[in-house]
């Protein structure tokens, strides 16, 4: 009294095919979204790296300019001192040293500030790259989940329509 059927209803087959196709398209979209996020993050990170290099380059240029200005200021001070009859010894030398120390402190501060800013930009770039990688991986996981869900849904649809499994024939009751 058992019947096993393996025939599939054409409408169920079409529905299962549509489910699989929709799952595939959705999975592809998730994958592409993750890939695009990774590329955008990489581009943003490269921009931050270039900014960091520019900060360091600008600081180096400004530090050289400041040293040049320092040398000019010391030379002017020496010329004024010499014109007034002072020598490079004593108070004339002390005044030059004060100017030099002050300018060197400013130059050191410029370098330190530039290093901090460049380091911060590079750290942000690294975080941006990491986030892009995470988004890419997440997109792939979502894509895989979508494919598996679609396959399971299509399988359930086909299993239910095929009448597979063991079914009992209805029994008839005979009246006596």
């Amino acid at each position: 009294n058992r019947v096993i059927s393996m025939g599939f209803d054409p409408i169920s087959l079409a529905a299962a095919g549509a489910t699989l196709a929709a799952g595939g398209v959705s999975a592809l979209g998730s994958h592409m979204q993750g890939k695009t996020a990774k590329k955008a993050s990489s581009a943003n990170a490269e921009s931050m790296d270039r900014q960091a290099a520019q900060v360091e380059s600008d600081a180096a240029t400004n530090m050289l300019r400041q040293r040049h200005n320092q040398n000019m200021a010391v030379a002017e001070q020496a010329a004024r001192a010499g014109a007034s009859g002072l020598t490079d010894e004593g108070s004339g030398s002390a005044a030059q040293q004060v100017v030099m120390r002050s300018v060197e402190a400013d130059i050191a501060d410029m370098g330190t500030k530039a290093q901090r800013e460049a380091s911060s930009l590079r750290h942000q770039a690294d975080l941006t790259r990491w986030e892009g990688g995470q988004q890419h991986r997440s997109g792939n996981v979502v894509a895989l989940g979508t494919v598996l869900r679609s396959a399971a849904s299509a399988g359930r649809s086909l299993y239910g329509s095929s009448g597979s499994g063991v079914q009992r024939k209805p029994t008839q009751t005979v009246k006596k």
Side-chain angles (χ1 to χ4, degrees):
N1 288 355
R2 293 179 172 191
V3 174
I4 299 177
S5 173
M6 296 301 281
F8 293 108
D9 168 10
I11 293 174
S12 296
L13 279 174
T19 299
L20 289 173
V25 169
S26 180
L28 181 61
S30 294
H31 171 73
M32 295 303 291
Q33 186 177 17
K35 191 174 179 180
T36 300
K38 183 177 181 179
K39 283 184 179 182
S41 295
S42 291
N44 288 339
E46 287 175 21
S47 175
M48 288 179 210
D49 285 336
R50 284 191 301 274
Q51 286 176 342
Q54 188 62 50
V55 163
E56 290 172 333
S57 175
D58 290 349
T61 299
N62 290 336
M63 291 165 68
L64 285 172
R65 186 177 300 124
Q66 194 75 351
R67 279 210 174 85
H68 173 74
N69 292 343
Q70 169 188 327
N71 292 338
M72 296 295 288
V74 168
E76 287 175 20
Q77 195 172 24
R80 279 192 304 260
S84 66
L86 296 174
T87 64
D88 284 346
E89 299 170 6
S91 62
S93 175
Q96 288 175 354
Q97 298 230 349
V98 167
V99 168
M100 290 173 73
R101 274 191 226 114
S102 173
V103 172
E104 280 301 319
D106 290 344
I107 291 171
D109 289 345
M110 263 188 241
T112 301
K113 181 182 175 192
Q115 285 175 342
R116 273 194 223 122
E117 188 176 344
S119 178
S120 176
L121 284 166
R122 286 193 177 100
H123 180 68
Q124 288 174 347
D126 289 341
L127 285 175
T128 299
R129 280 186 194 91
W130 178 82
E131 286 174 349
Q134 291 299 99
Q135 289 173 340
H136 187 226
R137 283 184 280 287
S138 176
N140 288 338
V141 168
V142 169
L144 177 62
T146 299
V147 166
L148 293 175
R149 252 189 325 277
S150 296
S153 179
R156 275 192 309 272
S157 173
L158 289 175
Y159 181 78
S161 76
S162 70
S164 0
V166 177
Q167 298 178 348
R168 291 186 181 262
K169 279 188 176 179
T171 55
Q172 295 179 349
T173 323
V174 179
K175 289 187 180 182
K176 291 186 180 182

